[in-house]
Amino acid sequence: MIGIYIHIPFCARKCPYCDFFSVPYQKNTVQAYVNAVIRNLKAYANQISDPVDTIYFGGGTPSLLSAEQIHAMLTTCREYFNLSHPEITLEINPARNQETYLHDLYLAGINRLSIGIQSFSDSQLQLLGRTHTVKENCKIIHAAVNAGFENISCDLILALPEQTEMLLSETLEILIHQPITHVSAYLLQIEEHTPFAENPAILEHLPDDDTVADRYLQTVQKLESAGIYQYEISSFAKPGYESRHNLKYWTCADYLGIGTGAHSCLQNRRFYIANHIDLFCQEAMQKEITISEQACDPSEKIMLALRTVKGIPPEMLSRKAQIKADLLTERQYMRLTAEGNLALTPKGFMISNAIIAMLID
Amino acid sequence: MNSEYIRNFCIIAHIDHGKSTLADRILEKTRTVAERDMEQQILDNMDLERERGITIKARAVRLNYQANDGQTYIFNLIDTPGHVDFNYEVSRSLAACEGAILIIDASQGIEAQTLANTYLAIEHDLEVVPVVNKIDLPSAQPEKVCQEVEDIIGIPAMDAPRISAKLGTNVEEVLEKIVSDIPAPKADPNAPLKALIFDSYYDSYKGVIIYVRVKDGTVRTGDMIHLMATGADFTVTETGYMTTDQLVNTGELSAGEVGYIAASIKSIGDTQVGDTVTLKEYPCEEALPGYRKVNPMVFSGIYPADGAKYGDLRDALEKLQLNDAALSFEPETSIALGFGFRCGFLGLLHMEIIQERLEREYHLDLVTTAPSVIYKVTLTDGTVQYIDNPTNYPDPSVLALAEEPIVKADILVPSEYVGNVMDLCQDRRGIFKDMQYLDDTRVTLKYELPLNEIVYDFFDALKSRTKGYASFDYEFMGYAPSKLVKLDILLNGEMVDALSFIIHTDKAYGRARKIAEKLKENIPRQLFEVPIQAAVGGKIIARETVKAMRKDVLAKCYGGDITRKKKLLEKQKEGKKRMRQLGTVEVPQEAFMSVLKLDE
């Protein structure tokens, strides 16, 4: 089984905290870009015989594309690949009057939405420079349900300035009462060269490490109490709704990335595509830049798998690392799963960099 | 060589009053160095000396001077260090001279080391020739300074040359003064050889080169010499005088002269500075009075940051010691820091200079423990021990008497800061001895201070309380009984030997708290909570806690791009290399260093 990731690098406007590559929406460029994606899908189809079980439209803002454009790309996938009960996700930002659009997306074949909700607090949405409101957040979720979507994921951003326990609790309370199946909760990270990195009003009010950890644990607890269980550092789902596509990243499964900046891992080879839209649109096939020919070695596997609640079989670790893991388990940073695997606890996830570094050196 | 036309002199001054600059001008005026070859401060040929503007090692050089009386004189200029730590080197230089040029800064006036060095010169019966320097400065008050010299030191100074060494103004006057005021050496070239070793260094081709002042007799190439203190005998392979950049082999050195002897001496240990050289076959009856052997006063553990560099550190110390007999070192082991050396220094500046030279010239990354003095302890069974490493401090149950070194300190300070300085000395357990007004505005304070109170940061504290105007000089006085305790630091319940030190009971609590705070600032949060405790004799007197790490995560791993995560892990691994693993606690080098600077 293989996953296909399609990157859509267009945004209506740039969010002040985001450092991902994107360009402003421009009609002609977008169509040329979609054509190039279709061209690449056809080209890769010759090399790939494995069945495809996930397709993911990420961005940027894929919801800037028309339903027809999405439909065209998915049609190509159907015609050229062997699709096997695929999970087909599209990232979408809340906006006005999306009812028809959602309906058309559903008809085009999208069966999972990942909505950039970010928060259910208007003041926090404003701080993030988002143009939607809490009202619009609720509206899009219901519109999606009405359009036929059953599998709906919401993005949340934690560790924001002024995000008190109370404020976050309000957001979580609203969230768990929505008809959703999945939550991705990220911690705000200040990236260089973004407006946030130069904004003293933001920088001076960032929560300290202890507060961040508290908010994270608060989120984990609240979601679990509502039956939305953590299955990865920043992913939570109702049972059976874990993102099959994202899990491929943590299990060293194969995925093909198409589009600018897209990453791939195919048969232990990692590569990515340059952030150059014109080049991508013009070339017959996207140019792969190799990162590694020996991906998914044991230490990479440990690093990735420890992001999930499934964890790793203890024997993947060296003798020395196993002793360290025992100590970490004693201190409740790790735990033994029902299958006998070693996995991080929520408290452990929060310091996973340190733990992973300790276990694979 | 007619000794009537020889003048042996040195230059003494407080630090920064222009000693090396005047030496440069004298070299230039006597054409010892062509102007085009002139590099600033030729006698200071270590980078460090030039940068810090201080002279560390004494050096000697021969010059020819065509005086106004038509005669050509031989000047032997012996450069001396100005800093208090190097007093013994000053006294070595003085013993080789008949006169000393005393430089006083025309704007600063007399300072603590001006006095200390002058008194040393007078003790050695030298003719002191005062010179007022830096008259080009707008704030120069040469007349006032001359008056000060007469009033405070009590030597005539009204006709002292007023010069600017920097610009070369009136330097000829100084040269004429050397001829007229400094006596020629009294010497008998036919008497048995009697020469004073005042310096030595190691040359990898010729072996140890000793610098000597020949008091009586003559030494020639081929002579069998006898070093009276060490008892060693050598055959002279070369002898002659020094220029600024080379040794000139003349094959002979006679009474009154200053020069060098090479005799294939393999070990610097055979050539004690202060020893007397005579001839094996025609020896003199008694040795010259040598000088007090220098004893290191301040000790500190020096460890390579990377344990694998232990051998490099040993080699570097050995090389430094060849030219710096005052440096002592012996291997020691610390549980916390591994293998290293306990090094002895003359004082704090000496310690800093050695550390800096190790790092700069030998590219070593070092961890240094807090400086310690030598404590004298008497055990209940009557044994007396000298303790230079806090780790070896005896258990209180077997301790009958503890004594610590006391110094006599002279502090010169503008009168408006007297209060500040007295507060500082009081705080450092000083005993007030005397206070005198040098003039209307300046005061000299005399205190007896425990050496362990000044080895940390006294000088910095003094400067900051007097806007940099105070000057300071000290000399060892003796041991005095004291209420001392050993303060231990525990990380996660385990004692860190490299952080232990000895302190006066009354100071233990305050110091313990400060150290605990500093360590807390400098130890990064770890997976587990790390208690920092300071203990005296098993009793915890201060505690801080480095809280457990709560957040170290890359939550977002976007679109299957794992490169950021990998980079982060690699960075983390790099960071670990700079950490010392103490039990379960990782301690960065900076944490060890941070406890050395507590009064910031």
Side-chain angles (χ1 to χ4, degrees):
Chain A
M1 295 289 184
I2 183 170
I4 295 177
Y5 175 83
I6 297 171
H7 188 73
I8 308 296
F10 305 102
C11 282
R13 52 198 298 274
K14 204 137 187 126
C15 298
Y17 52 87
C18 174
D19 76 332
F20 286 109
F21 170 74
S22 74
V23 297
Y25 178 85
Q26 215 241 342
K27 208 177 166 189
N28 295 341
T29 320
V30 171
Q31 187 53 50
Y33 190 89
V34 170
N35 294 342
V37 170
I38 291 174
R39 212 160 53 229
N40 273 286
L41 283 169
K42 291 177 181 172
Y44 277 108
N46 296 327
Q47 303 171 17
I48 292 167
S49 54
D50 283 6
V52 171
D53 68 341
T54 67
I55 300 171
Y56 194 106
F57 291 95
T61 313
S63 56
L64 287 178
L65 265 56
S66 69
E68 289 74 30
Q69 287 169 325
I70 304 283
H71 183 259
M73 290 185 276
L74 283 177
T75 304
T76 309
C77 290
R78 269 187 214 102
E79 285 173 9
Y80 286 79
F81 292 88
N82 169 17
L83 299 196
S84 163
H85 307 290
E87 168 197 281
I88 306 177
T89 307
L90 179 105
E91 289 178 351
I92 184 167
N93 276 337
R96 289 198 189 107
N97 305 321
Q98 289 171 308
E99 288 83 1
T100 321
Y101 181 59
L102 287 166
H103 192 70
D104 293 344
L105 287 177
Y106 188 73
L107 291 180
I110 302 292
N111 57 24
R112 184 175 182 271
L113 290 179
S114 169
I115 309 176
I117 294 287
Q118 318 306 2
S119 170
F120 282 105
S121 150
D122 280 329
S123 65
Q124 297 259 283
L125 286 169
Q126 217 171 1
L127 183 138
L128 285 168
R130 306 288 289 191
T131 54
H132 49 98
T133 59
V134 172
K135 212 170 143 192
E136 281 156 355
N137 283 350
C138 295
K139 229 169 126 186
I140 187 180
I141 296 172
H142 289 278
V145 172
N146 286 338
F149 287 99
E150 272 175 25
N151 195 352
I152 298 171
S153 173
C154 290
D155 281 355
L156 277 192
I157 300 189
L158 306 178
L160 292 172
E162 292 152 31
Q163 193 178 47
T164 57
E165 184 182 352
M166 184 75 118
L167 205 58
L168 177 60
S169 161
E170 279 169 30
T171 281
L172 293 170
E173 199 61 42
I174 299 174
L175 180 71
I176 59 173
H177 287 99
Q178 303 296 317
I180 56 158
T181 51
H182 188 280
V183 174
S184 295
Y186 299 117
L187 303 177
L188 175 71
Q189 206 161 326
I190 302 300
E191 307 289 355
E192 275 178 59
H193 312 302
T194 58
F196 266 20
E198 276 130 43
N199 184 349
I202 295 291
L203 298 177
E204 284 160 21
H205 294 100
L206 287 173
D208 60 28
D209 286 3
D210 293 292
T211 310
V212 174
D214 288 343
R215 297 291 164 273
Y216 178 82
L217 296 177
Q218 181 190 349
T219 306
V220 174
Q221 263 169 21
K222 188 73 191 173
L223 292 178
E224 300 223 330
S225 74
I228 305 170
Y229 299 101
Q230 179 166 39
Y231 67 95
E232 189 261 343
I233 288 184
S234 40
S235 309
F236 305 79
K238 290 186 172 162
Y241 287 94
E242 294 81 8
S243 164
R244 269 149 52 191
H245 185 81
N246 283 344
L247 273 173
K248 289 184 188 295
Y249 300 151
W250 321 129
T251 52
C252 278
D254 280 1
Y255 51 93
L256 166 67
I258 292 176
T260 56
H263 281 249
S264 301
C265 183
L266 289 176
Q267 281 145 8
N268 296 337
R269 177 170 162 258
R270 286 190 193 281
F271 61 87
Y272 73 100
I273 311 303
N275 281 321
H276 197 302
I277 294 196
D278 290 344
L279 208 65
F280 177 75
C281 291
Q282 284 155 17
E283 284 180 334
M285 212 180 151
Q286 63 182 7
K287 194 164 163 255
E288 299 171 358
I289 304 165
T290 302
I291 297 167
S292 159
E293 299 276 3
Q294 283 117 23
C296 306
D297 62 6
S299 69
E300 214 172 276
K301 273 190 177 143
I302 294 170
M303 168 183 106
L304 294 171
L306 280 179
R307 290 187 64 98
T308 69
V309 292
K310 220 181 145 214
I312 51 166
E315 52 274 19
M316 275 182 81
L317 296 176
S318 69
R319 234 347 118 67
K320 236 169 116 184
Q322 285 184 37
I323 294 168
K324 290 181 190 168
D326 284 346
L327 199 68
L328 289 163
T329 308
E330 210 174 282
R331 307 257 179 159
Q332 289 160 357
Y333 289 108
M334 295 188 89
R335 63 193 181 87
L336 271 177
T337 67
E339 296 107 348
N341 274 2
L342 271 171
L344 299 191
T345 59
K347 174 171 129 170
F349 281 133
M350 267 313 285
I351 54 164
S352 52
N353 291 344
I355 292 181
I356 292 167
M358 198 171 146
L359 295 180
I360 63 181
D361 67 2
Chain B
M1 177 76 51
N2 187 343
S3 62
E4 198 186 319
Y5 299 112
I6 297 177
R7 296 291 180 273
N8 297 317
F9 64 98
C10 57
I11 307 177
I12 54 178
H14 187 74
I15 192 160
D16 270 347
H17 280 198
K19 191 167 39 108
S20 294
T21 313
L22 177 61
D24 283 355
R25 284 299 94 73
I26 291 176
L27 297 182
E28 205 178 280
K29 298 281 177 197
T30 54
R31 309 215 172 259
T32 307
V33 182
E35 261 174 72
R36 67 189 152 75
D37 290 338
M38 197 63 199
E39 200 179 336
Q40 258 195 341
Q41 303 190 355
I42 290 217
L43 287 183
D44 297 345
N45 59 21
M46 265 190 262
D47 281 351
L48 204 60
E49 290 185 345
R50 225 165 269 168
E51 260 169 51
R52 290 197 171 212
I54 49 174
T55 309
I56 299 164
K57 289 287 293 176
R59 246 153 276 264
V61 61
R62 177 191 283 205
L63 330 164
N64 293 310
Y65 175 61
Q66 181 86 45
N68 290 347
D69 64 10
Q71 286 292 337
T72 299
Y73 289 81
I74 287 180
F75 283 2
N76 287 306
L77 163 59
I78 294 154
D79 200 23
T80 60
H83 192 275
V84 40
D85 280 1
F86 301 101
N87 252 348
Y88 90 104
E89 290 201 9
V90 177
S91 73
R92 279 149 60 160
S93 305
L94 298 180
C97 303
E98 277 76 37
I101 298 174
L102 170 67
I103 307 183
I104 307 115
D105 186 312
S107 69
Q108 305 285 327
I110 290 175
E111 301 268 10
Q113 286 146 33
T114 315
L115 288 177
N117 287 331
T118 306
Y119 294 144
L120 267 179
I122 292 169
E123 259 175 50
H124 282 84
D125 289 329
L126 299 199
E127 184 65 37
V128 176
V129 179
V131 169
V132 179
N133 189 23
K134 303 199 190 179
I135 56 160
D136 55 308
L137 292 182
S139 56
Q141 291 179 292
E143 301 315 312
K144 182 169 173 267
V145 168
C146 288
Q147 189 60 54
E148 213 175 75
V149 172
E150 297 210 336
D151 293 350
I152 298 169
I153 302 175
I155 55 172
M158 279 312 158
D159 65 340
R162 278 89 160 141
I163 68 162
S164 162
K166 194 171 114 199
L167 304 178
T169 318
N170 297 337
V171 173
E172 288 83 357
E173 268 188 51
V174 179
L175 297 172
E176 285 301 318
K177 275 272 182 194
I178 294 168
V179 171
S180 61
D181 288 16
I182 295 175
K186 284 189 213 85
D188 179 359
N190 300 316
L193 178 66
K194 201 186 241 188
L196 176 74
I197 304 180
F198 65 90
D199 203 355
S200 68
Y201 72 96
Y202 189 83
D203 178 287
S204 37
Y205 299 103
K206 295 173 182 168
V208 178
I209 307 280
I210 52 178
Y211 284 3
V212 293
R213 158 68 200 274
V214 184
K215 298 280 186 183
D216 284 317
T218 304
V219 60
R220 296 182 183 81
T221 303
D223 283 349
M224 174 73 86
I225 52 171
H226 175 70
L227 307 186
M228 297 179 75
T230 62
D233 298 327
F234 299 98
T235 306
V236 177
T237 54
E238 220 181 86
T239 182
Y241 63 90
M242 293 75 78
T243 70
T244 53
D245 55 1
Q246 60 181 330
L247 302 175
V248 179
N249 182 3
T250 56
E252 181 182 299
L253 215 51
S254 66
E257 285 189 286
V258 171
Y260 76 94
I261 297 172
S264 302
I265 304 169
K266 293 283 172 286
S267 160
I268 203 107
D270 288 333
T271 56
Q272 231 174 59
V273 167
D275 198 354
T276 304
V277 182
T278 189
L279 291 180
K280 177 91 176 149
E281 304 302 326
Y282 182 34
C284 60
E285 276 174 21
E286 65 184 298
L288 292 158
Y291 356 83
R292 229 182 344 167
K293 184 169 162 29
V294 239
N295 290 314
M297 301 240 270
V298 178
F299 288 79
S300 153
I302 295 186
Y303 293 81
D306 173 2
K309 294 275 167 79
Y310 173 79
D312 295 359
L313 175 58
R314 188 192 49 225
D315 292 349
L317 283 168
E318 275 169 3
K319 278 185 191 138
L320 286 181
Q321 198 184 39
L322 285 179
N323 291 324
D324 185 352
L327 167 69
S328 73
F329 65 93
E330 56 183 71
E332 76 170 6
T333 332
S334 150
I335 299 159
L337 300 175
F339 292 100
F341 296 92
R342 176 122 305 235
C343 302
F345 309 97
L346 298 169
L348 278 188
L349 181 76
H350 189 213
M351 179 173 97
E352 273 176 43
I353 285 169
I354 295 290
Q355 281 168 14
E356 220 169 304
R357 289 189 67 187
L358 288 170
E359 291 186 343
R360 235 194 255 195
E361 293 168 32
Y362 297 92
H363 309 290
L364 291 164
D365 205 358
L366 304 174
V367 181
T368 317
T369 66
S372 169
V373 301
I374 305 183
Y375 297 94
K376 183 179 168 188
V377 294
T378 311
L379 304 183
T380 42
D381 65 3
T383 344
V384 174
Q385 287 180 1
Y386 287 88
I387 307 287
D388 64 21
N389 184 345
T391 311
N392 303 330
Y393 200 72
D395 189 89
S397 61
V398 295
L399 190 62
L401 176 68
E403 291 173 84
E404 66 177 329
I406 305 292
V407 298
K408 247 194 275 184
D410 284 349
I411 301 164
L412 253 73
V413 63
S415 45
E416 69 244 57
Y417 301 115
V418 164
N420 289 355
V421 173
M422 291 178 93
D423 286 348
L424 174 67
C425 292
Q426 188 73 28
D427 179 53
R428 300 300 175 103
R429 300 190 283 129
I431 298 170
F432 173 80
K433 283 291 164 189
D434 192 16
M435 177 167 100
Q436 280 173 5
Y437 274 85
L438 293 180
D439 53 32
D440 299 345
T441 57
R442 285 182 330 138
V443 171
T444 166
L445 286 167
K446 287 186 191 297
Y447 268 90
E448 286 175 18
L449 280 159
L451 183 60
N452 91 348
E453 292 287 345
I454 60 176
V455 292
Y456 285 96
D457 51 8
F458 183 78
F459 199 55
D460 291 342
L462 185 64
K463 288 277 175 192
S464 71
R465 279 163 179 76
T466 60
K467 297 213 169 104
Y469 282 115
S471 60
F472 165 62
D473 193 51
Y474 66 84
E475 71 178 296
F476 177 69
M477 213 177 87
Y479 278 88
S482 180
K483 282 191 279 178
L484 299 170
V485 290
K486 180 176 165 227
L487 185 67
D488 294 318
I489 303 292
L490 292 82
L491 290 182
N492 205 21
E494 284 177 49
M495 195 171 93
V496 181
D497 58 357
L499 292 175
S500 296
F501 58 93
I502 295 160
I503 189 162
H504 190 267
T505 314
D506 296 349
K507 293 284 186 100
Y509 182 69
R511 180 68 61 84
R513 270 204 354 226
K514 269 190 190 155
I515 288 197
E517 277 165 25
K518 276 277 178 187
L519 286 173
K520 187 190 172 183
E521 279 168 34
N522 284 280
I523 297 176
R525 293 171 74 163
Q526 331 227 331
L527 287 174
F528 318 114
E529 184 177 286
V530 178
I532 300 167
Q533 295 162 305
V536 167
K539 189 176 160 237
I540 307 296
I541 60 168
R543 186 192 158 112
E544 291 281 345
T545 304
V546 180
K547 287 194 288 182
M549 181 198 293
R550 295 285 312 274
K551 176 181 168 254
D552 182 13
V553 62
L554 194 63
K556 199 151 185 166
C557 232
Y558 200 81
D561 175 7
I562 67 157
T563 49
R564 273 195 206 200
K565 191 159 174 60
K566 281 200 96 163
K567 268 187 205 144
L568 210 77
L569 282 179
E570 269 150 33
K571 236 170 92 185
Q572 221 140 4
K573 273 192 193 168
E574 263 318 293
K576 268 187 194 275
K577 284 188 194 157
R578 293 189 57 81
M579 297 279 194
R580 293 271 170 176
Q581 184 84 34
L582 301 184
T584 51
V585 186
E586 280 173 345
V587 183
Q589 272 174 53
E590 299 80 58
F592 290 99
M593 306 306 268
S594 72
V595 302
L596 305 184
K597 293 176 183 153
L598 290 178
D599 286 66
E600 274 167 5

